[in-house]
Amino acid sequence: AQATSAEENFIVQAKAFVEKHLADEELTVETLAAEMTLSREQLYRKIMALAGYSPSAFIRKLRLQKAAQLLAAKADTVSQIAYETGFNNLSHFSKSFKEEFGKLPSEFASESDILE
């Protein structure tokens, strides 16, 4: 296997940290910056350069991807999944989910019935 670049390694580390703390609504860009031993500005520049979006969007996308996996697997209720992925406000969760996937979490969950 090819050795991963420092950039790939950085994204993998950042992703692992975010995924480990998904349920924590206190997870912030500052927490991630501290974990990656960077200033908030350095983290912003680095994630922007590597992923193409801001650190807060990076965290939100990972939370929503995990929520989508849980919804598809019928792991729990929509509200429980929202809390498990760090959203303590259900309407914010639904709005963010719809922006990311083009449908509401409840629609997403019921559509995965059809796919099985």
Side-chain angles (χ1 to χ4, degrees):
Q2 193 178 2
T4 58
S5 70
E7 286 81 12
E8 286 170 352
N9 211 16
F10 176 84
I11 289 292
V12 167
Q13 276 184 301
K15 207 172 165 179
F17 179 77
V18 171
E19 285 171 353
K20 189 174 160 197
H21 296 88
L22 274 184
D24 182 4
E25 74 236 13
E26 302 294 307
L27 173 65
T28 61
V29 173
E30 287 77 14
T31 322
L32 181 58
E35 172 67 19
M36 304 306 288
T37 61
L38 295 170
S39 72
R40 188 186 163 99
E41 292 74 29
Q42 288 170 314
L43 180 75
Y44 182 86
R45 282 196 302 271
K46 195 153 188 170
I47 288 188
M48 245 354 238
L50 298 175
Y53 35 81
S54 72
S56 56
F58 178 76
I59 292 170
R60 188 174 57 251
K61 281 180 175 295
L62 289 173
R63 285 188 156 146
L64 291 168
Q65 285 167 2
K66 181 63 176 178
Q69 288 171 356
L70 292 169
L71 287 166
K74 308 242 178 311
D76 219 325
T77 63
V78 170
S79 54
Q80 198 51 47
I81 288 169
Y83 296 124
E84 283 174 37
T85 53
F87 289 91
N88 56 358
N89 179 318
L90 282 177
S91 63
H92 176 65
F93 171 68
S94 291
K95 184 175 171 285
S96 299
F97 195 92
K98 187 163 173 121
E99 282 171 11
E100 184 71 19
F101 297 107
K103 52 185 65 120
L104 293 169
S106 54
E107 295 169 337
F108 191 89
S110 64
E111 276 185 19
S112 55
D113 281 340
I114 301 161
L115 301 174
E116 287 170 8

